Amino acid sequence: MRRVAVVAFAQTEHTGHDTGVGEVELILPVINEVKERTGLTRFGFTCSGSCDYLAGAPFSFVSALDALGAWPPISESHVEMDGAWALYEAWVRLQHGDVDTALVYGFGKSSLGDLAEIMTLQLDPYYLAPLGLDRLSFAALQASATGADRKELDEIVRRSRADGRRNPYALDLPEQIPDGFAVEPLKTSDVAPITDGAAAVVLAAGDLAERLCATPAYITGIAHRIEPHYLGMRDLSRSASAADAARAAGVGKGPVEVAELHAQFAHEEVILRRALELPDDTVINPSGGPLAANPVMATGLIRIGEAARRIHDGTARRTVGHAAGGPCLQHNLVTVLEA
């Protein structure tokens, strides 16, 4: 296996509303930033993650490529998923050995549509979608199954918002936690906010990583696992796929100082901590996590980027970045990063 590291990470200053910029204008600043940090103008491979349903147009990622430039030609791919899975594809591509760098980016503008309705479109059209349950209803079912203590959930929300206010890229959410339920027992504050944003990561292989970055964040383990689509076929109080991915990535082979978890609902953090078997002294989502900013299709990539950033700035030596997709933590990707 080739040694591959995250050598640069950039993200937008996320917003909770449409600012009038298009996808290209959203992506271009973060791509320019990682180019400036690495000194690279060309990459051996490029991979992006986005969702046509968010953009409201087919093959929207093609027009987004204008942010990269159409000439000279590039080797490019795309996943209709969170950018974290684009990073996984790029990591696999670098294992081939014929290219040494990869640019990965993810982007999404949730403010332009009804996110609950859009996410319902990913459900089975015959057995699940006709039930009329959206992402909030499914999350409420899982929250009930988890049986998490209300005080614990409120503390997760308070901590996430406090950390988010220290993060210049997160939304400026009020300290006061509002009352009221989205779908009982799911409070409105338990739900990640509507967010527009983008992020980019540069991967480098071998000795090149140390030439591009003073303290590269080496990917020492990466794996993703998926569970059945139908909720009645799995135990919603736990995440078997997250646990399997964590074991395959080797999370338990050493201390984890920081874990960035793709928890779009407060109770998901409880489930993921158990699944990844994180010790009590692991710092969870110091960036504020998705409860402070949730640019769909970039949130998971940001978790990996934030975990890498802790290694880049020397505040941690071993971190974990996690990404999730599908209803009720159906699909999970776990990345272990080390100095």
Side-chain angles (χ1 to χ4, degrees):
M1 287 291 221
R2 300 184 80 193
R3 292 185 59 181
V4 174
V6 175
V7 295
F9 165 60
Q11 60 182 313
T12 55
E13 292 183 12
H14 308 308
T15 63
H17 60 278
D18 179 24
T19 59
V21 302
E23 278 79 5
V24 173
E25 297 168 294
L26 197 65
I27 300 164
L28 186 59
V30 295
I31 290 181
N32 285 342
E33 185 174 341
V34 294
K35 283 182 176 180
E36 183 179 347
R37 289 186 181 184
T38 58
L40 298 173
T41 57
R42 299 274 295 171
F43 303 91
F45 182 64
T46 299
C47 195
S48 61
S50 66
C51 175
D52 283 353
Y53 287 100
L54 281 178
F59 298 100
S60 61
F61 73 93
V62 176
S63 60
L65 286 170
D66 286 346
L68 303 176
W71 188 265
I74 62 173
S75 174
E76 185 270 341
S77 185
H78 173 263
V79 297
E80 190 75 8
M81 297 183 71
D82 189 287
W85 275 266
L87 182 141
Y88 183 87
E89 181 176 337
W91 176 83
V92 172
R93 181 65 183 84
L94 288 173
Q95 297 303 320
H96 292 192
D98 58 327
V99 296
D100 296 324
T101 59
L103 170 65
V104 179
Y105 62 96
F107 61 96
K109 296 185 66 175
S110 302
S111 66
L112 297 182
D114 185 334
L115 189 60
E117 184 177 346
I118 290 170
M119 290 296 110
T120 301
L121 297 175
Q122 72 183 334
L123 302 176
D124 175 272
Y126 298 104
Y127 296 102
L128 291 182
L131 295 176
L133 301 177
D134 60 19
R135 62 191 286 267
L136 297 181
S137 300
F138 282 132
L141 288 173
Q142 188 173 47
S144 296
T146 304
D149 181 70
R150 184 68 253 173
K151 290 183 178 179
E152 181 181 10
L153 298 180
D154 286 343
E155 179 54 36
I156 289 172
V157 173
R158 272 193 292 269
R159 189 202 71 228
S160 298
R161 291 188 174 205
D163 289 340
R165 285 190 292 274
R166 290 189 288 270
N167 180 355
Y169 303 100
L171 303 182
D172 186 16
L173 298 173
E175 184 176 355
Q176 183 68 31
I177 298 176
D179 292 325
F181 293 96
V183 179
E184 198 168 358
L186 206 65
K187 293 177 66 174
T188 55
S189 57
D190 294 336
V191 182
I194 296 297
T195 312
D196 293 354
V201 163
V202 175
L203 300 181
D207 296 337
L208 179 60
E210 294 185 3
R211 297 203 297 272
L212 298 177
C213 178
T215 52
Y218 285 97
I219 299 174
T220 57
I222 185 168
H224 65 98
R225 298 289 187 271
I226 192 168
E227 296 175 65
H229 185 65
Y230 300 99
L231 304 187
M233 297 180 66
R234 47 191 171 108
D235 180 359
L236 295 183
S237 67
R238 55 190 293 268
S239 178
S241 57
D244 287 347
R247 283 190 289 270
V251 171
K253 293 181 179 179
V256 178
E257 295 162 83
V258 173
E260 284 281 344
L261 305 179
H262 191 173
Q264 297 184 77
F265 304 95
H267 68 272
E268 289 184 345
E269 180 179 310
V270 178
I271 295 173
L272 290 169
R273 287 193 68 139
R274 294 172 185 165
L276 274 61
E277 298 181 358
L278 298 174
D280 292 339
D281 60 352
T282 297
V283 179
I284 305 295
N285 288 349
S287 66
L291 292 181
N294 184 40
V296 174
M297 298 299 148
T299 308
L301 181 62
I302 290 171
R303 305 280 69 75
I304 298 173
E306 287 283 3
R309 188 173 66 84
R310 302 292 165 174
I311 293 174
H312 292 165
D313 64 18
T315 57
R317 294 194 57 81
R318 192 171 191 268
T319 63
V320 167
H322 162 268
C328 298
L329 298 173
Q330 180 197 8
H331 194 177
N332 291 273
L333 185 150
V334 177
T335 306
V336 178
L337 300 142
E338 297 187 36

